[in-house]
Short mmCIF file of all heavy atoms in Angstrom, two decimals:
data_model
loop_
_atom_site.label_atom_id
_atom_site.label_comp_id
_atom_site.label_asym_id
_atom_site.label_seq_id
_atom_site.Cartn_x
_atom_site.Cartn_y
_atom_site.Cartn_z
N MET A 1109 -12.55 -1.41 29.74
CA MET A 1109 -12.45 -2.30 28.57
C MET A 1109 -12.86 -3.72 28.99
O MET A 1109 -12.13 -4.41 29.69
CB MET A 1109 -11.00 -2.29 28.08
CG MET A 1109 -10.90 -2.80 26.66
SD MET A 1109 -9.46 -2.12 25.81
CE MET A 1109 -9.35 -3.23 24.42
N ASN A 1110 -14.04 -4.11 28.58
CA ASN A 1110 -14.51 -5.45 28.95
C ASN A 1110 -14.25 -6.45 27.83
O ASN A 1110 -13.65 -6.12 26.80
CB ASN A 1110 -16.00 -5.39 29.32
CG ASN A 1110 -16.82 -4.85 28.17
OD1 ASN A 1110 -16.47 -5.05 27.01
ND2 ASN A 1110 -17.91 -4.16 28.48
N ALA A 1111 -14.73 -7.66 28.04
CA ALA A 1111 -14.44 -8.74 27.09
C ALA A 1111 -15.04 -8.45 25.72
O ALA A 1111 -14.44 -8.76 24.69
CB ALA A 1111 -14.97 -10.06 27.63
N ASN A 1112 -16.24 -7.82 25.70
CA ASN A 1112 -16.87 -7.54 24.41
C ASN A 1112 -16.06 -6.54 23.60
O ASN A 1112 -15.93 -6.68 22.39
CB ASN A 1112 -18.28 -6.98 24.64
CG ASN A 1112 -19.29 -8.09 24.84
OD1 ASN A 1112 -19.05 -9.23 24.44
ND2 ASN A 1112 -20.41 -7.79 25.46
N THR A 1113 -15.53 -5.52 24.27
CA THR A 1113 -14.72 -4.52 23.58
C THR A 1113 -13.50 -5.17 22.95
O THR A 1113 -13.15 -4.89 21.80
CB THR A 1113 -14.28 -3.42 24.56
OG1 THR A 1113 -15.40 -3.00 25.30
CG2 THR A 1113 -13.67 -2.26 23.83
N ILE A 1114 -12.85 -6.03 23.71
CA ILE A 1114 -11.67 -6.73 23.20
C ILE A 1114 -12.04 -7.57 21.98
O ILE A 1114 -11.33 -7.59 20.97
CB ILE A 1114 -11.05 -7.61 24.30
CG1 ILE A 1114 -10.49 -6.71 25.41
CG2 ILE A 1114 -9.95 -8.50 23.74
CD1 ILE A 1114 -10.08 -7.47 26.66
N LEU A 1115 -13.20 -8.22 22.06
CA LEU A 1115 -13.67 -9.06 20.96
C LEU A 1115 -13.86 -8.23 19.69
O LEU A 1115 -13.47 -8.65 18.60
CB LEU A 1115 -14.98 -9.74 21.36
CG LEU A 1115 -15.20 -11.14 20.79
CD1 LEU A 1115 -14.16 -12.10 21.33
CD2 LEU A 1115 -16.60 -11.62 21.13
N VAL A 1116 -14.46 -7.04 19.85
CA VAL A 1116 -14.69 -6.17 18.69
C VAL A 1116 -13.36 -5.72 18.10
O VAL A 1116 -13.17 -5.73 16.87
CB VAL A 1116 -15.55 -4.95 19.12
CG1 VAL A 1116 -15.54 -3.90 18.01
CG2 VAL A 1116 -16.97 -5.40 19.43
N VAL A 1117 -12.42 -5.33 18.96
CA VAL A 1117 -11.12 -4.85 18.47
C VAL A 1117 -10.40 -5.97 17.72
O VAL A 1117 -9.86 -5.76 16.62
CB VAL A 1117 -10.26 -4.34 19.65
CG1 VAL A 1117 -8.83 -4.10 19.19
CG2 VAL A 1117 -10.88 -3.07 20.22
N VAL A 1118 -10.40 -7.16 18.29
CA VAL A 1118 -9.74 -8.30 17.64
C VAL A 1118 -10.42 -8.61 16.31
O VAL A 1118 -9.76 -8.89 15.30
CB VAL A 1118 -9.75 -9.52 18.58
CG1 VAL A 1118 -9.31 -10.78 17.82
CG2 VAL A 1118 -8.83 -9.29 19.78
N GLY A 1119 -11.76 -8.51 16.30
CA GLY A 1119 -12.51 -8.77 15.07
C GLY A 1119 -12.17 -7.77 13.99
O GLY A 1119 -11.94 -8.14 12.83
N LEU A 1120 -12.10 -6.48 14.35
CA LEU A 1120 -11.77 -5.45 13.37
C LEU A 1120 -10.35 -5.64 12.84
O LEU A 1120 -10.10 -5.50 11.65
CB LEU A 1120 -11.90 -4.06 14.01
CG LEU A 1120 -13.33 -3.58 14.24
CD1 LEU A 1120 -13.32 -2.24 14.95
CD2 LEU A 1120 -14.09 -3.47 12.93
N ALA A 1121 -9.43 -5.99 13.74
CA ALA A 1121 -8.06 -6.24 13.31
C ALA A 1121 -8.02 -7.42 12.35
O ALA A 1121 -7.28 -7.39 11.35
CB ALA A 1121 -7.18 -6.51 14.52
N GLY A 1122 -8.82 -8.44 12.62
CA GLY A 1122 -8.87 -9.60 11.74
C GLY A 1122 -9.40 -9.24 10.38
O GLY A 1122 -8.84 -9.67 9.36
N VAL A 1123 -10.45 -8.41 10.33
CA VAL A 1123 -11.01 -7.98 9.05
C VAL A 1123 -9.99 -7.16 8.28
O VAL A 1123 -9.81 -7.32 7.07
CB VAL A 1123 -12.31 -7.17 9.27
CG1 VAL A 1123 -12.73 -6.49 7.98
CG2 VAL A 1123 -13.41 -8.09 9.79
N TYR A 1124 -9.28 -6.27 9.00
CA TYR A 1124 -8.27 -5.43 8.36
C TYR A 1124 -7.17 -6.30 7.75
O TYR A 1124 -6.79 -6.12 6.58
CB TYR A 1124 -7.67 -4.46 9.39
CG TYR A 1124 -6.49 -3.69 8.84
CD1 TYR A 1124 -6.70 -2.65 7.93
CD2 TYR A 1124 -5.20 -4.01 9.21
CE1 TYR A 1124 -5.64 -1.96 7.40
CE2 TYR A 1124 -4.12 -3.31 8.69
CZ TYR A 1124 -4.34 -2.29 7.79
OH TYR A 1124 -3.28 -1.61 7.27
N LEU A 1125 -6.68 -7.27 8.51
CA LEU A 1125 -5.61 -8.13 8.01
C LEU A 1125 -6.09 -8.95 6.82
O LEU A 1125 -5.33 -9.25 5.90
CB LEU A 1125 -5.10 -9.04 9.12
CG LEU A 1125 -4.26 -8.34 10.18
CD1 LEU A 1125 -3.87 -9.31 11.29
CD2 LEU A 1125 -3.02 -7.72 9.57
N LEU A 1126 -7.37 -9.31 6.83
CA LEU A 1126 -7.94 -10.07 5.72
C LEU A 1126 -7.93 -9.23 4.45
O LEU A 1126 -7.55 -9.71 3.38
CB LEU A 1126 -9.36 -10.50 6.08
CG LEU A 1126 -9.88 -11.71 5.31
CD1 LEU A 1126 -9.14 -12.97 5.72
CD2 LEU A 1126 -11.37 -11.88 5.55
N THR A 1127 -8.34 -7.96 4.56
CA THR A 1127 -8.35 -7.09 3.38
C THR A 1127 -6.92 -6.83 2.90
O THR A 1127 -6.68 -6.74 1.71
CB THR A 1127 -9.04 -5.74 3.68
OG1 THR A 1127 -8.28 -5.03 4.65
CG2 THR A 1127 -10.44 -5.96 4.17
N VAL A 1128 -5.98 -6.73 3.85
CA VAL A 1128 -4.58 -6.52 3.46
C VAL A 1128 -4.05 -7.74 2.73
O VAL A 1128 -3.31 -7.63 1.76
CB VAL A 1128 -3.72 -6.20 4.71
CG1 VAL A 1128 -2.24 -6.28 4.35
CG2 VAL A 1128 -4.06 -4.84 5.25
N ALA A 1129 -4.46 -8.93 3.19
CA ALA A 1129 -4.02 -10.15 2.53
C ALA A 1129 -4.55 -10.22 1.11
O ALA A 1129 -3.89 -10.73 0.20
CB ALA A 1129 -4.46 -11.36 3.33
N MET A 1130 -5.78 -9.70 0.91
CA MET A 1130 -6.38 -9.75 -0.42
C MET A 1130 -5.86 -8.63 -1.30
O MET A 1130 -5.67 -8.81 -2.50
CB MET A 1130 -7.90 -9.64 -0.30
CG MET A 1130 -8.53 -10.89 0.29
SD MET A 1130 -10.27 -10.66 0.67
CE MET A 1130 -10.97 -10.75 -0.97
N TRP A 1131 -5.68 -7.45 -0.71
CA TRP A 1131 -5.20 -6.29 -1.47
C TRP A 1131 -4.01 -5.67 -0.73
O TRP A 1131 -4.17 -4.69 0.01
CB TRP A 1131 -6.32 -5.25 -1.61
CG TRP A 1131 -7.53 -5.80 -2.25
CD1 TRP A 1131 -7.70 -6.10 -3.57
CD2 TRP A 1131 -8.79 -6.14 -1.62
NE1 TRP A 1131 -8.97 -6.59 -3.77
CE2 TRP A 1131 -9.65 -6.62 -2.63
CE3 TRP A 1131 -9.25 -6.06 -0.31
CZ2 TRP A 1131 -10.95 -7.04 -2.34
CZ3 TRP A 1131 -10.55 -6.47 -0.03
CH2 TRP A 1131 -11.37 -6.95 -1.03
N PRO A 1132 -2.82 -6.24 -0.91
CA PRO A 1132 -1.67 -5.78 -0.12
C PRO A 1132 -1.07 -4.45 -0.59
O PRO A 1132 -0.22 -3.90 0.10
CB PRO A 1132 -0.65 -6.91 -0.28
CG PRO A 1132 -1.02 -7.58 -1.54
CD PRO A 1132 -2.49 -7.40 -1.74
N TYR A 1133 -1.51 -3.94 -1.73
CA TYR A 1133 -0.90 -2.72 -2.25
C TYR A 1133 -1.91 -1.60 -2.36
O TYR A 1133 -3.11 -1.83 -2.49
CB TYR A 1133 -0.29 -2.97 -3.63
CG TYR A 1133 0.78 -4.01 -3.63
CD1 TYR A 1133 0.55 -5.26 -4.18
CD2 TYR A 1133 2.02 -3.74 -3.08
CE1 TYR A 1133 1.54 -6.22 -4.17
CE2 TYR A 1133 3.01 -4.69 -3.07
CZ TYR A 1133 2.77 -5.92 -3.62
OH TYR A 1133 3.74 -6.86 -3.61
N ARG A 1134 -1.40 -0.38 -2.32
CA ARG A 1134 -2.20 0.78 -2.65
C ARG A 1134 -1.42 1.58 -3.67
O ARG A 1134 -0.22 1.38 -3.84
CB ARG A 1134 -2.52 1.60 -1.41
CG ARG A 1134 -1.29 2.14 -0.72
CD ARG A 1134 -1.69 2.89 0.54
NE ARG A 1134 -0.53 3.29 1.31
CZ ARG A 1134 0.22 4.35 1.03
NH1 ARG A 1134 -0.08 5.10 0.00
NH2 ARG A 1134 1.26 4.64 1.78
N ALA A 1135 -2.11 2.50 -4.35
CA ALA A 1135 -1.43 3.29 -5.36
C ALA A 1135 -0.41 4.21 -4.70
O ALA A 1135 -0.61 4.65 -3.57
CB ALA A 1135 -2.44 4.11 -6.15
N CYS A 1136 0.67 4.49 -5.43
CA CYS A 1136 1.73 5.32 -4.88
C CYS A 1136 1.23 6.74 -4.60
O CYS A 1136 1.43 7.26 -3.54
CB CYS A 1136 2.91 5.37 -5.84
SG CYS A 1136 4.20 6.53 -5.37
N GLY A 1137 0.59 7.35 -5.56
CA GLY A 1137 0.06 8.69 -5.36
C GLY A 1137 1.03 9.78 -5.75
O GLY A 1137 0.61 10.88 -6.07
N GLY A 1138 2.33 9.49 -5.73
CA GLY A 1138 3.31 10.50 -6.10
C GLY A 1138 3.71 10.43 -7.55
O GLY A 1138 4.57 11.16 -8.00
N CYS A 1139 3.09 9.49 -8.28
CA CYS A 1139 3.49 9.31 -9.68
C CYS A 1139 2.31 8.70 -10.43
O CYS A 1139 1.26 8.45 -9.86
CB CYS A 1139 4.69 8.37 -9.75
SG CYS A 1139 4.32 6.74 -9.08
N GLN A 1140 2.56 8.43 -11.73
CA GLN A 1140 1.54 7.76 -12.53
C GLN A 1140 2.11 6.45 -13.03
O GLN A 1140 2.95 6.44 -13.92
CB GLN A 1140 1.12 8.65 -13.71
CG GLN A 1140 0.14 9.72 -13.28
CD GLN A 1140 0.26 10.96 -14.13
OE1 GLN A 1140 1.07 11.01 -15.04
NE2 GLN A 1140 -0.53 11.95 -13.83
N GLY A 1141 1.71 5.37 -12.41
CA GLY A 1141 2.20 4.06 -12.82
C GLY A 1141 3.69 3.88 -12.63
O GLY A 1141 4.33 3.17 -13.39
N GLY A 1142 4.25 4.55 -11.62
CA GLY A 1142 5.68 4.42 -11.35
C GLY A 1142 6.54 5.41 -12.11
O GLY A 1142 7.75 5.40 -11.98
N LYS A 1143 5.90 6.24 -12.93
CA LYS A 1143 6.66 7.21 -13.72
C LYS A 1143 6.37 8.63 -13.24
O LYS A 1143 5.21 8.98 -13.04
CB LYS A 1143 6.26 7.11 -15.20
CG LYS A 1143 6.65 5.79 -15.83
CD LYS A 1143 6.15 5.74 -17.26
CE LYS A 1143 6.47 4.38 -17.88
NZ LYS A 1143 5.95 4.29 -19.25
N VAL A 1144 7.45 9.37 -13.07
CA VAL A 1144 7.31 10.80 -12.78
C VAL A 1144 7.64 11.55 -14.06
O VAL A 1144 8.74 11.42 -14.60
CB VAL A 1144 8.27 11.23 -11.65
CG1 VAL A 1144 8.14 12.72 -11.39
CG2 VAL A 1144 7.99 10.43 -10.39
N ARG A 1145 6.69 12.30 -14.56
CA ARG A 1145 6.87 12.94 -15.86
C ARG A 1145 7.48 14.33 -15.72
O ARG A 1145 7.25 15.02 -14.74
CB ARG A 1145 5.51 13.05 -16.58
CG ARG A 1145 4.93 11.70 -16.90
CD ARG A 1145 3.86 11.79 -17.98
NE ARG A 1145 3.46 10.43 -18.37
CZ ARG A 1145 4.11 9.72 -19.29
NH1 ARG A 1145 5.15 10.22 -19.90
NH2 ARG A 1145 3.68 8.51 -19.60
N SER A 1146 8.21 14.69 -16.72
CA SER A 1146 8.76 16.04 -16.78
C SER A 1146 7.61 16.99 -17.11
O SER A 1146 6.56 16.55 -17.59
CB SER A 1146 9.84 16.11 -17.85
OG SER A 1146 9.26 15.96 -19.12
N PRO A 1147 7.82 18.29 -16.87
CA PRO A 1147 6.74 19.25 -17.17
C PRO A 1147 6.27 19.17 -18.61
O PRO A 1147 5.09 19.42 -18.90
CB PRO A 1147 7.38 20.61 -16.86
CG PRO A 1147 8.43 20.29 -15.85
CD PRO A 1147 8.95 18.91 -16.21
N SER A 1148 7.14 18.83 -19.54
CA SER A 1148 6.73 18.76 -20.94
C SER A 1148 5.87 17.53 -21.20
O SER A 1148 5.10 17.49 -22.16
CB SER A 1148 7.97 18.73 -21.84
OG SER A 1148 8.61 17.47 -21.72
N GLY A 1149 6.04 16.48 -20.35
CA GLY A 1149 5.27 15.27 -20.53
C GLY A 1149 5.92 14.26 -21.43
O GLY A 1149 5.44 13.15 -21.58
N ARG A 1150 7.05 14.65 -22.03
CA ARG A 1150 7.68 13.73 -22.97
C ARG A 1150 8.68 12.81 -22.28
O ARG A 1150 8.96 11.73 -22.76
CB ARG A 1150 8.44 14.53 -24.04
CG ARG A 1150 7.52 15.16 -25.05
CD ARG A 1150 8.34 15.64 -26.23
NE ARG A 1150 7.82 16.92 -26.72
CZ ARG A 1150 8.53 17.72 -27.50
NH1 ARG A 1150 9.75 17.40 -27.83
NH2 ARG A 1150 8.01 18.85 -27.91
N HIS A 1151 9.25 13.30 -21.17
CA HIS A 1151 10.30 12.53 -20.51
C HIS A 1151 9.80 12.10 -19.15
O HIS A 1151 8.97 12.75 -18.53
CB HIS A 1151 11.56 13.38 -20.35
CG HIS A 1151 11.92 14.10 -21.61
ND1 HIS A 1151 12.40 13.46 -22.72
CD2 HIS A 1151 11.83 15.40 -21.93
CE1 HIS A 1151 12.61 14.33 -23.67
NE2 HIS A 1151 12.27 15.53 -23.24
N TRP A 1152 10.37 10.99 -18.72
CA TRP A 1152 9.97 10.52 -17.39
C TRP A 1152 11.12 9.73 -16.77
O TRP A 1152 12.05 9.32 -17.45
CB TRP A 1152 8.71 9.65 -17.49
CG TRP A 1152 8.88 8.43 -18.35
CD1 TRP A 1152 8.66 8.34 -19.70
CD2 TRP A 1152 9.32 7.13 -17.94
NE1 TRP A 1152 8.95 7.06 -20.13
CE2 TRP A 1152 9.34 6.31 -19.09
CE3 TRP A 1152 9.68 6.58 -16.70
CZ2 TRP A 1152 9.71 4.96 -19.03
CZ3 TRP A 1152 10.06 5.25 -16.65
CH2 TRP A 1152 10.07 4.45 -17.80
N ARG A 1153 11.02 9.59 -15.48
CA ARG A 1153 11.99 8.78 -14.74
C ARG A 1153 11.22 7.93 -13.74
O ARG A 1153 10.08 8.29 -13.38
CB ARG A 1153 13.02 9.66 -14.03
CG ARG A 1153 12.42 10.62 -13.03
CD ARG A 1153 13.51 11.35 -12.28
NE ARG A 1153 12.99 12.56 -11.62
CZ ARG A 1153 12.30 12.54 -10.48
NH1 ARG A 1153 12.03 11.41 -9.90
NH2 ARG A 1153 11.87 13.66 -9.95
N PRO A 1154 11.82 6.82 -13.30
CA PRO A 1154 11.11 5.99 -12.31
C PRO A 1154 10.92 6.76 -11.02
O PRO A 1154 11.78 7.54 -10.61
CB PRO A 1154 12.05 4.80 -12.10
CG PRO A 1154 12.94 4.79 -13.29
CD PRO A 1154 13.08 6.22 -13.73
N CYS A 1155 9.79 6.55 -10.40
CA CYS A 1155 9.49 7.21 -9.14
C CYS A 1155 10.38 6.64 -8.03
O CYS A 1155 10.56 5.43 -7.94
CB CYS A 1155 8.01 6.99 -8.80
SG CYS A 1155 7.56 7.57 -7.19
N ARG A 1156 10.91 7.53 -7.20
CA ARG A 1156 11.80 7.06 -6.14
C ARG A 1156 11.01 6.51 -4.96
O ARG A 1156 11.49 5.66 -4.22
CB ARG A 1156 12.67 8.22 -5.64
CG ARG A 1156 13.75 8.59 -6.63
CD ARG A 1156 14.88 9.34 -5.96
NE ARG A 1156 15.79 9.91 -6.97
CZ ARG A 1156 15.77 11.19 -7.28
NH1 ARG A 1156 14.96 12.02 -6.69
NH2 ARG A 1156 16.59 11.65 -8.22
N ARG A 1157 9.82 7.03 -4.76
CA ARG A 1157 9.06 6.61 -3.58
C ARG A 1157 8.61 5.16 -3.69
O ARG A 1157 8.56 4.43 -2.72
CB ARG A 1157 7.84 7.52 -3.40
CG ARG A 1157 8.23 8.85 -2.76
CD ARG A 1157 7.14 9.87 -2.95
NE ARG A 1157 5.90 9.45 -2.30
CZ ARG A 1157 4.78 10.15 -2.33
NH1 ARG A 1157 4.75 11.30 -2.95
NH2 ARG A 1157 3.71 9.72 -1.72
N CYS A 1158 8.24 4.74 -4.91
CA CYS A 1158 7.73 3.37 -5.07
C CYS A 1158 8.69 2.52 -5.88
O CYS A 1158 8.41 1.36 -6.15
CB CYS A 1158 6.36 3.41 -5.75
SG CYS A 1158 6.39 4.17 -7.37
N GLY A 1159 9.84 3.08 -6.27
CA GLY A 1159 10.82 2.31 -7.02
C GLY A 1159 10.37 2.02 -8.44
O GLY A 1159 10.83 1.04 -9.04
N GLY A 1160 9.47 2.83 -8.99
CA GLY A 1160 9.04 2.65 -10.36
C GLY A 1160 7.95 1.63 -10.55
O GLY A 1160 7.60 1.30 -11.67
N THR A 1161 7.41 1.10 -9.46
CA THR A 1161 6.36 0.09 -9.59
C THR A 1161 4.98 0.73 -9.59
O THR A 1161 4.02 0.11 -10.05
CB THR A 1161 6.43 -0.92 -8.43
OG1 THR A 1161 6.32 -0.21 -7.20
CG2 THR A 1161 7.75 -1.67 -8.45
N GLY A 1162 4.86 1.94 -9.04
CA GLY A 1162 3.55 2.60 -8.97
C GLY A 1162 2.69 2.09 -7.84
O GLY A 1162 1.52 2.42 -7.75
N ARG A 1163 3.25 1.26 -7.00
CA ARG A 1163 2.47 0.72 -5.91
C ARG A 1163 3.26 0.77 -4.60
O ARG A 1163 4.48 0.65 -4.61
CB ARG A 1163 2.04 -0.72 -6.20
CG ARG A 1163 3.23 -1.66 -6.27
CD ARG A 1163 2.82 -3.00 -6.86
NE ARG A 1163 3.96 -3.93 -6.75
CZ ARG A 1163 4.01 -5.11 -7.32
NH1 ARG A 1163 3.02 -5.52 -8.06
NH2 ARG A 1163 5.04 -5.88 -7.16
N ARG A 1164 2.55 0.96 -3.55
CA ARG A 1164 3.17 0.96 -2.23
C ARG A 1164 2.51 -0.14 -1.42
O ARG A 1164 1.31 -0.39 -1.55
CB ARG A 1164 2.90 2.30 -1.52
CG ARG A 1164 3.39 3.51 -2.31
CD ARG A 1164 4.87 3.69 -2.28
NE ARG A 1164 5.39 3.90 -0.94
CZ ARG A 1164 5.49 5.08 -0.34
NH1 ARG A 1164 5.06 6.15 -0.95
NH2 ARG A 1164 6.00 5.18 0.87
N ARG A 1165 3.31 -0.78 -0.59
CA ARG A 1165 2.73 -1.82 0.27
C ARG A 1165 1.96 -1.15 1.40
O ARG A 1165 2.40 -0.15 1.94
CB ARG A 1165 3.82 -2.70 0.85
CG ARG A 1165 4.53 -3.49 -0.22
CD ARG A 1165 5.52 -4.43 0.39
NE ARG A 1165 4.82 -5.59 0.96
CZ ARG A 1165 5.40 -6.50 1.73
NH1 ARG A 1165 6.66 -6.38 2.04
NH2 ARG A 1165 4.72 -7.51 2.20
N ARG A 1166 0.84 -1.73 1.73
CA ARG A 1166 0.05 -1.18 2.84
C ARG A 1166 0.73 -1.52 4.15
O ARG A 1166 1.51 -2.46 4.24
CB ARG A 1166 -1.36 -1.75 2.79
CG ARG A 1166 -2.14 -1.22 1.60
CD ARG A 1166 -3.42 -1.97 1.44
NE ARG A 1166 -4.35 -1.69 2.53
CZ ARG A 1166 -5.48 -2.34 2.72
NH1 ARG A 1166 -5.83 -3.28 1.90
NH2 ARG A 1166 -6.27 -2.05 3.72
N TRP A 1167 0.36 -0.73 5.17
CA TRP A 1167 1.01 -0.88 6.46
C TRP A 1167 0.91 -2.31 6.95
O TRP A 1167 1.89 -2.89 7.43
CB TRP A 1167 0.35 0.10 7.44
CG TRP A 1167 0.91 0.00 8.81
CD1 TRP A 1167 2.09 0.56 9.24
CD2 TRP A 1167 0.36 -0.70 9.92
NE1 TRP A 1167 2.28 0.23 10.56
CE2 TRP A 1167 1.24 -0.53 11.00
CE3 TRP A 1167 -0.79 -1.47 10.09
CZ2 TRP A 1167 0.99 -1.09 12.25
CZ3 TRP A 1167 -1.03 -2.03 11.33
CH2 TRP A 1167 -0.15 -1.83 12.39
N GLY A 1168 -0.29 -2.89 6.85
CA GLY A 1168 -0.51 -4.23 7.38
C GLY A 1168 0.23 -5.31 6.61
O GLY A 1168 0.45 -6.40 7.13
N ALA A 1169 0.60 -5.02 5.36
CA ALA A 1169 1.27 -6.03 4.55
C ALA A 1169 2.64 -6.36 5.13
O ALA A 1169 3.15 -7.47 4.95
CB ALA A 1169 1.42 -5.54 3.11
N HIS A 1170 3.24 -5.40 5.84
CA HIS A 1170 4.53 -5.68 6.47
C HIS A 1170 4.36 -6.66 7.61
O HIS A 1170 5.25 -7.47 7.89
CB HIS A 1170 5.14 -4.36 6.99
CG HIS A 1170 5.51 -3.43 5.90
ND1 HIS A 1170 6.68 -3.56 5.17
CD2 HIS A 1170 4.87 -2.36 5.39
CE1 HIS A 1170 6.72 -2.60 4.29
NE2 HIS A 1170 5.65 -1.86 4.38
N LEU A 1171 3.21 -6.59 8.28
CA LEU A 1171 2.96 -7.52 9.38
C LEU A 1171 2.80 -8.93 8.85
O LEU A 1171 3.33 -9.89 9.42
CB LEU A 1171 1.69 -7.11 10.14
CG LEU A 1171 1.75 -5.82 10.95
CD1 LEU A 1171 0.41 -5.56 11.58
CD2 LEU A 1171 2.82 -5.92 12.01
N ILE A 1172 2.07 -9.07 7.74
CA ILE A 1172 1.82 -10.39 7.19
C ILE A 1172 3.08 -10.93 6.53
O ILE A 1172 3.36 -12.12 6.58
CB ILE A 1172 0.66 -10.33 6.18
CG1 ILE A 1172 -0.62 -9.89 6.90
CG2 ILE A 1172 0.46 -11.67 5.51
CD1 ILE A 1172 -1.78 -9.68 5.96
N GLY A 1173 3.84 -10.01 5.90
CA GLY A 1173 5.10 -10.42 5.29
C GLY A 1173 4.93 -10.95 3.89
O GLY A 1173 5.83 -11.59 3.36
N ARG A 1174 3.76 -10.70 3.29
CA ARG A 1174 3.55 -11.15 1.91
C ARG A 1174 4.18 -10.17 0.94
O ARG A 1174 4.28 -8.99 1.22
CB ARG A 1174 2.05 -11.27 1.62
CG ARG A 1174 1.51 -12.56 2.17
CD ARG A 1174 0.05 -12.72 1.84
NE ARG A 1174 -0.28 -12.26 0.49
CZ ARG A 1174 -1.30 -12.71 -0.20
NH1 ARG A 1174 -2.08 -13.62 0.32
NH2 ARG A 1174 -1.57 -12.25 -1.38
N ARG A 1175 4.54 -10.65 -0.24
CA ARG A 1175 5.12 -9.78 -1.25
C ARG A 1175 4.22 -9.63 -2.44
O ARG A 1175 3.36 -10.42 -2.65
CB ARG A 1175 6.46 -10.36 -1.72
CG ARG A 1175 7.44 -10.37 -0.59
CD ARG A 1175 8.79 -10.91 -0.98
NE ARG A 1175 9.58 -11.11 0.23
CZ ARG A 1175 10.18 -10.14 0.90
NH1 ARG A 1175 10.08 -8.91 0.48
NH2 ARG A 1175 10.85 -10.40 1.98
ZN1 ZN B 228 5.57 6.34 -7.16
#
């Protein structure tokens, strides 16, 4: 691992943190807009995984500490 490799890794990490700062959330995926629908589709409850927000914080967002 030479100096150039370290530079590339640091650069990629910087780009990743920049995208996380701009887009700190991703879709939950386990629900639709924070709602989990019953099989009939008429009833719903807040999703437990995302707390009903429909969004999950990305891994890097915890490092930055933004909300
Ligand atoms: Zn969810």
Side-chain angles (χ1 to χ4, degrees):
M1109 198 153 164
N1110 58 31
N1112 276 339
T1113 312
I1114 293 170
L1115 212 65
V1116 168
V1117 169
V1118 169
L1120 286 176
V1123 168
Y1124 172 74
L1125 287 177
L1126 202 69
T1127 65
V1128 168
M1130 289 171 76
W1131 303 286
Y1133 299 107
R1134 61 182 173 80
C1136 173
C1139 61
Q1140 280 150 0
K1143 294 177 183 178
V1144 178
R1145 296 198 173 275
S1146 68
S1148 72
R1150 285 193 219 162
H1151 313 290
W1152 60 271
R1153 60 174 162 79
C1155 173
R1156 286 201 191 103
R1157 281 164 62 181
C1158 60
T1161 58
R1163 65 192 188 190
R1164 304 285 299 273
R1165 294 185 76 190
R1166 291 170 68 189
W1167 178 80
H1170 294 280
L1171 291 178
I1172 297 174
R1174 280 182 39 154
R1175 295 181 191 282

